Amino acid sequence: MRKIYMDCASTTPVDKDVVKEMLPFSTEKYGNPSSLHSFGREAHDAMEKARENIAKLINADKDEIVFTSGGTESDNLAIKGIAYKMKEEITDYKGPHIITSSIEHPAVMETCKYLGLQGFKVKYLPVDKYGVVNLDNLKKSISRGTFLITVMHANNEIGTIQNIEEIGKIAKEHNIVFHSDAVQSVGKIPVDVKKTKIDLLSISSHKIYGPKGVGALYIRKGVKLEPMIHGGGHEKGIRSGTENIPNIVGFGKACELAKKRLNEDAEHLTILRDKLIKNVLNIEESYLNGHPTLRLPNNAHLRFTAVEGESLILSLDEKGIAASTGSACSSKKLLPSHVLLAIGLNEIEAHGSLRITLGRGNTENEVKYVIDVLPGIIRNLREMSPLWKKPLEIEKWKKEMKK
Amino acid sequence: MRKIYMDCASTTPVDKDVVKEMLPFSTEKYGNPSSLHSFGREAHDAMEKARENIAKLINADKDEIVFTSGGTESDNLAIKGIAYKMKEEITDYKGPHIITSSIEHPAVMETCKYLGLQGFKVKYLPVDKYGVVNLDNLKKSISRGTFLITVMHANNEIGTIQNIEEIGKIAKEHNIVFHSDAVQSVGKIPVDVKKTKIDLLSISSHKIYGPKGVGALYIRKGVKLEPMIHGGGHEKGIRSGTENIPNIVGFGKACELAKKRLNEDAEHLTILRDKLIKNVLNIEESYLNGHPTLRLPNNAHLRFTAVEGESLILSLDEKGIAASTGSACSSKKLLPSHVLLAIGLNEIEAHGSLRITLGRGNTENEVKYVIDVLPGIIRNLREMSPLWKKPLEIEKWKKEMKK
């Protein structure tokens, strides 16, 4: 059976050139970069070259990049690292204060909740129906104790892009550290840490055709973090543990390719995305979640009345199409997505959502296949649904859920 | 030039069968195991098969294995995880108390030091001249507030193996959690968590011919840890972040091979190691560090009067031989090893050490080559040394160091 992968916000295939670059570092050039001998020096040089490529993609300096095991660790390191470093310095009687949004990735949200249990105050900014943070609201939330603003660049579910340039300016004006989870945006839309006043930026390799298990945290020169993983003092003491050289090398190559292909990829993906959205919206009672234009070039997040997301994914899977209900991170839990609730959907609506996230390798033919197949699937599912065209049933369900 | 790698305590080449097993999970089977579609299910199944193989190697149950980014993270998660979980429960007026040894890997030592800054009391047990922890001393150190004993299985520098069976018994008798960093021992000597009363055991893939950037923590059923990395709730909520599937698959294969080859490898390595040690000790004023018999089958840790370790490594490197002065983790720092100081060496002696750690692929011929080459290198270095056969100079240096 034909297999079409359209779940690139979950993870991407590793680019062939990336695999090729990585391989020798497992089999021949397998040294530990901390070692003094030639194997070690070779590994060390390759790591520094990769660091350079990652820095270039976001216009950072090489020594502002710290390698981690992925986006989740980067988010944890950034937020806890600043929080534990600055805790003692906050003299506001209300306690140390973090501002974040209500639609962050769980890596940010759960970290903030955890800090919330430890005496930190956390403000979760609401978003509008498109998932955009209101900047006036942000400004009003700043208090004397606010030491960190952490707002994602692009949302992993609905693809909405925040105005991080403005958020950066506001943070600077108030002398507040600004962290952004840019796991979904880096490599897809331009990110420039020099132009934008970002202090900490989380990046992941496996979302941009690099290997899994490696990520980076950009740390602006002068910003001090408390380490989260202690040990041999790797990465200038900020992140201990033998560096994952093959994957770091692959990550570097993936960034090099992403930089080279940024415009070309974005153009290709935007055309496919728009074709997909336009055609799918011809289906009766179908809606686009997220912002119509301020959205990632590869994200189509759709909603169908009286269709249950999990069944939709499984039906698509039977046709060889891999897509997602929400973010992969929570797709095995049956809780409704906090992002979809935050943009104002009710629980039933949230459960009827489909996330299609395209990749570099997807073709127009594949998109056409999805457009052809989807209406039939929706029709079938609706025929089995107790909610389709039964407004009274829906009202009953809503009441049930409120209990 | 001939290249001989004898630094396997730092890292190992990835076994060819391991690479073969991993590769498809980057290029074809690249799904995120949290995804509901076929790519996701395929990745999930592969991950669970790997988990099974890792469990088997240490005689654990599959659901007692949590994947991490490596040994350092495993150590951090184990120690901080228990410490933060149990802090509130300790009612002893002296505060919560951890017992560890004075020769732990930095991943354990630095984590304990960090907790020491947060109100935890830490006892660093001394070791004898072979690096063995005295068990009477351990027993005497236990107080009402002791909630964790963390003692490594085999030392990463001198290769000394601790009696973890006895330590486990002592811990159980006092109802104390026992963690062991077994990064150097698993896959080289038998480890059985059912027979030995271990609650938490750290393992790393890249020390046993698996890929870098992946490790595991064995967590005995019923032992509760506070997570260190928060997010999407992967690994039953204990370790969030998209799982590094290709490396996990490789790690699983490496464990399968290690189990199969355990006796064969140990026998081969012991023969090579003993031949190496016996011949090298023919060099004038050369000594073996660590225990004569309670040592890892692949570890030869030697010391030469009036020879400077870094120069020795670089001279060996010129002859194509990769070895280490201490552990790779600290080999770029010029501080004397805390392990060598703990076994009673002075700073000059500690700086004159050489760690040769053999691997599965090393041959008798390679060992012969090292034996042939080493005496000449030592002779050359001693000819340049201001300390060789100059006891007065040595006394002067010692006094300098004490200042």
Side-chain angles (χ1 to χ4, degrees):
Chain A
M1 190 178 61
R2 182 175 189 172
K3 275 187 134 191
I4 298 178
Y5 188 80
M6 292 190 174
D7 195 13
C8 285
S10 292
T11 193
T12 55
V14 184
D15 190 287
K16 280 197 184 74
D17 287 346
V18 169
V19 174
K20 210 172 129 190
E21 193 100 353
M22 289 170 66
L23 255 184
F25 291 89
S26 289
T27 51
E28 304 150 37
K29 306 176 178 185
Y30 47 80
N32 184 325
S34 296
S35 298
L36 290 169
H37 48 64
S38 65
F39 288 88
R41 295 194 303 268
E42 184 174 57
H44 184 266
D45 293 350
M47 175 168 76
E48 294 312 308
K49 189 187 148 199
R51 203 187 300 276
E52 184 98 46
N53 273 325
I54 292 149
K56 274 184 190 161
L57 180 59
I58 58 167
N59 196 24
D61 293 341
K62 184 172 154 297
D63 55 355
E64 294 175 317
I65 301 295
V66 162
F67 289 115
T68 67
S69 68
T72 292
E73 189 191 327
S74 294
D75 286 338
N76 274 260
L77 173 59
I79 297 170
K80 292 177 189 162
I82 278 290
Y84 295 149
K85 199 77 182 179
M86 299 198 64
K87 199 176 178 181
E88 311 301 321
E89 292 177 28
I90 308 296
T91 52
D92 190 43
Y93 72 99
K94 288 187 214 154
H97 184 236
I98 298 169
I99 299 175
T100 184
S101 85
S102 49
I103 60 162
E104 294 297 308
H105 185 277
V108 168
M109 200 179 56
E110 294 298 324
T111 301
C112 288
K113 278 192 198 165
Y114 178 70
L115 291 175
L117 300 173
Q118 293 177 35
F120 290 89
K121 307 279 172 240
V122 185
K123 167 72 183 173
Y124 300 90
L125 296 171
V127 293
D128 66 15
K129 65 174 177 174
Y130 299 120
V132 179
V133 170
N134 182 306
L135 299 186
D136 284 332
N137 209 315
L138 167 65
K139 282 181 207 162
K140 279 179 203 151
S141 303
I142 293 171
S143 70
R144 266 192 57 204
T146 309
F147 64 93
L148 174 67
I149 295 172
T150 171
V151 172
M152 70 200 321
H153 191 192
N155 186 268
N156 51 307
E157 298 189 29
I158 55 176
T160 301
I161 299 166
Q162 304 296 336
N163 190 345
I164 54 169
E165 290 73 21
E166 278 306 305
I167 298 175
K169 269 188 210 159
I170 295 168
K172 267 328 111 230
E173 278 163 19
H174 294 82
N175 204 17
I176 297 167
V177 172
F178 176 35
H179 166 250
S180 188
D181 175 341
V183 163
Q184 294 290 343
S185 62
V186 163
K188 295 196 196 83
I189 53 175
V191 176
D192 183 328
V193 293
K194 287 220 164 62
K195 226 167 69 184
T196 310
K197 309 230 169 295
I198 298 170
D199 299 302
L200 299 163
L201 188 95
S202 303
I203 323 173
S204 171
S205 157
H206 77 103
K207 310 287 191 191
I208 54 168
Y209 316 97
K212 292 182 178 64
V214 62
L217 181 65
Y218 158 78
I219 307 173
R220 182 184 292 280
K221 229 166 269 163
V223 174
K224 299 271 177 256
L225 299 184
E226 186 75 30
M228 184 169 64
I229 298 181
H230 295 82
H234 308 77
E235 297 293 289
K236 292 188 233 150
I238 293 169
R239 205 292 187 177
S240 289
T242 300
E243 298 91 342
N244 187 351
I245 296 301
N247 294 36
I248 284 173
V249 166
F251 184 18
K253 185 69 187 178
C255 286
E256 189 195 320
L257 294 174
K259 190 172 157 65
K260 216 177 278 176
R261 300 183 51 134
L262 195 68
N263 292 333
E264 179 191 341
D265 278 356
E267 203 172 314
H268 168 66
L269 290 168
T270 306
I271 291 169
L272 295 188
R273 177 198 70 184
D274 291 346
K275 182 173 180 167
L276 185 70
I277 293 174
K278 189 178 150 232
N279 281 277
V280 172
L281 289 182
N282 286 332
I283 297 173
E284 188 183 3
E285 290 201 35
S286 64
Y287 309 91
L288 180 69
N289 295 325
H291 200 280
T293 54
L294 292 175
R295 73 184 304 135
L296 287 174
N298 72 328
N299 178 298
H301 202 289
L302 300 143
R303 177 164 46 92
F304 307 93
T305 303
V307 169
E308 205 272 315
E310 270 78 41
S311 315
L312 181 49
I313 295 310
L314 296 176
S315 302
L316 283 167
D317 192 44
E318 276 171 26
K319 300 278 182 190
I321 301 163
S324 166
T325 50
S327 69
C329 291
S330 54
S331 64
K332 277 190 182 167
K333 304 171 198 158
L334 289 174
L335 294 170
S337 147
H338 68 288
V339 176
L340 301 182
L341 297 181
I343 61 171
L345 302 190
N346 65 41
E347 295 211 1
I348 299 178
E349 289 166 336
H351 272 303
S353 288
L354 167 70
R355 183 185 71 180
I356 293 177
T357 44
L358 303 161
R360 195 181 275 169
N362 287 129
T363 62
E364 222 175 307
N365 258 331
E366 288 176 337
V367 169
K368 201 178 160 302
Y369 178 69
V370 175
I371 294 168
D372 288 346
V373 156
L374 197 56
I377 292 176
I378 301 285
R379 205 180 311 121
N380 285 342
L381 292 174
R382 280 176 173 167
E383 272 169 21
M384 296 184 286
S385 168
L387 302 178
W388 180 235
K389 305 256 172 179
K390 297 188 188 70
L392 287 175
E393 282 296 317
I394 294 179
E395 283 312 307
K396 224 170 82 188
W397 272 53
K398 278 187 191 167
K399 273 181 201 152
E400 275 299 309
M401 280 180 175
K402 272 183 192 147
K403 276 180 194 166
Chain B
M1 188 179 62
R2 183 174 188 172
K3 274 188 133 189
I4 298 178
Y5 187 80
M6 292 189 175
D7 195 13
C8 284
S10 292
T11 193
T12 56
V14 184
D15 190 287
K16 280 196 185 76
D17 286 346
V18 169
V19 175
K20 212 173 125 190
E21 193 99 354
M22 289 169 65
L23 256 184
F25 291 88
S26 289
T27 51
E28 303 150 38
K29 306 175 179 186
Y30 46 79
N32 184 326
S34 296
S35 298
L36 289 170
H37 47 64
S38 66
F39 288 90
R41 293 193 306 265
E42 184 174 58
H44 185 265
D45 292 349
M47 175 168 79
E48 294 313 308
K49 188 185 149 199
R51 202 187 300 275
E52 184 97 46
N53 274 324
I54 291 149
K56 275 184 188 160
L57 180 59
I58 58 168
N59 195 24
D61 292 340
K62 184 172 153 296
D63 55 355
E64 295 176 317
I65 300 295
V66 161
F67 290 115
T68 68
S69 68
T72 292
E73 189 192 326
S74 294
D75 286 338
N76 275 260
L77 173 58
I79 298 170
K80 291 177 190 161
I82 277 291
Y84 295 148
K85 198 78 183 177
M86 301 199 61
K87 200 177 178 181
E88 310 302 321
E89 292 177 28
I90 308 296
T91 52
D92 191 44
Y93 72 98
K94 288 184 211 154
H97 183 235
I98 298 169
I99 300 175
T100 185
S101 86
S102 49
I103 60 161
E104 294 298 307
H105 186 277
V108 168
M109 201 180 54
E110 295 298 325
T111 301
C112 288
K113 278 191 199 165
Y114 178 71
L115 290 175
L117 300 173
Q118 291 175 37
F120 291 88
K121 307 280 172 237
V122 186
K123 166 72 182 174
Y124 298 89
L125 296 171
V127 293
D128 67 15
K129 66 175 177 174
Y130 300 121
V132 178
V133 170
N134 182 305
L135 298 188
D136 284 333
N137 210 315
L138 167 64
K139 283 180 207 163
K140 279 178 203 151
S141 302
I142 293 172
S143 70
R144 267 193 57 203
T146 310
F147 65 94
L148 173 67
I149 296 172
T150 170
V151 173
M152 70 200 322
H153 190 192
N155 186 268
N156 52 308
E157 298 189 29
I158 56 176
T160 301
I161 299 166
Q162 304 296 336
N163 189 345
I164 53 168
E165 289 74 21
E166 279 305 306
I167 299 175
K169 270 187 210 160
I170 296 167
K172 266 329 111 225
E173 279 163 20
H174 293 82
N175 205 16
I176 296 166
V177 172
F178 175 34
H179 166 249
S180 187
D181 174 341
V183 163
Q184 294 290 342
S185 62
V186 164
K188 296 196 194 83
I189 54 175
V191 176
D192 184 328
V193 293
K194 286 219 165 63
K195 226 168 71 185
T196 309
K197 310 232 168 294
I198 298 170
D199 298 302
L200 299 163
L201 188 96
S202 301
I203 322 174
S204 171
S205 156
H206 78 103
K207 310 287 191 190
I208 53 167
Y209 315 99
K212 291 183 178 63
V214 62
L217 181 64
Y218 158 77
I219 307 174
R220 182 182 292 281
K221 228 165 271 164
V223 174
K224 299 272 177 257
L225 299 183
E226 186 74 31
M228 184 170 63
I229 299 180
H230 295 82
H234 309 77
E235 298 294 287
K236 292 188 236 155
I238 294 169
R239 206 292 186 178
S240 290
T242 300
E243 298 91 343
N244 186 350
I245 295 301
N247 293 37
I248 284 173
V249 166
F251 184 17
K253 185 71 185 177
C255 287
E256 188 194 320
L257 293 174
K259 190 172 157 66
K260 215 176 278 176
R261 300 183 52 133
L262 195 70
N263 293 333
E264 180 192 341
D265 277 357
E267 203 173 314
H268 168 68
L269 291 167
T270 306
I271 290 169
L272 295 188
R273 176 198 70 184
D274 290 346
K275 182 172 180 168
L276 185 71
I277 292 175
K278 190 178 149 230
N279 281 277
V280 172
L281 289 182
N282 286 332
I283 297 173
E284 189 183 3
E285 290 201 35
S286 63
Y287 309 91
L288 180 69
N289 295 325
H291 199 280
T293 55
L294 292 175
R295 75 184 303 134
L296 287 175
N298 72 328
N299 178 298
H301 202 289
L302 300 143
R303 174 164 48 90
F304 307 94
T305 304
V307 168
E308 206 272 314
E310 269 78 41
S311 315
L312 181 48
I313 295 309
L314 295 176
S315 302
L316 283 167
D317 193 44
E318 277 171 25
K319 300 277 182 189
I321 301 163
S324 165
T325 50
S327 69
C329 292
S330 54
S331 64
K332 277 189 182 169
K333 304 170 199 161
L334 288 173
L335 294 170
S337 146
H338 68 287
V339 176
L340 301 181
L341 298 180
I343 61 170
L345 303 189
N346 65 42
E347 295 212 1
I348 298 177
E349 289 165 337
H351 272 304
S353 288
L354 167 68
R355 183 185 71 179
I356 294 177
T357 43
L358 303 161
R360 195 181 275 169
N362 287 130
T363 63
E364 220 174 308
N365 258 331
E366 287 176 338
V367 169
K368 200 176 161 305
Y369 177 70
V370 175
I371 294 168
D372 288 347
V373 156
L374 196 56
I377 292 176
I378 301 286
R379 206 180 310 121
N380 284 344
L381 292 175
R382 280 175 173 167
E383 271 169 20
M384 295 184 288
S385 167
L387 301 177
W388 180 234
K389 305 256 171 181
K390 296 186 188 73
L392 286 176
E393 284 296 317
I394 293 179
E395 283 312 309
K396 224 171 80 189
W397 271 54
K398 279 188 193 167
K399 273 181 201 152
E400 276 298 310
M401 281 181 177
K402 273 183 193 150
K403 276 179 197 167

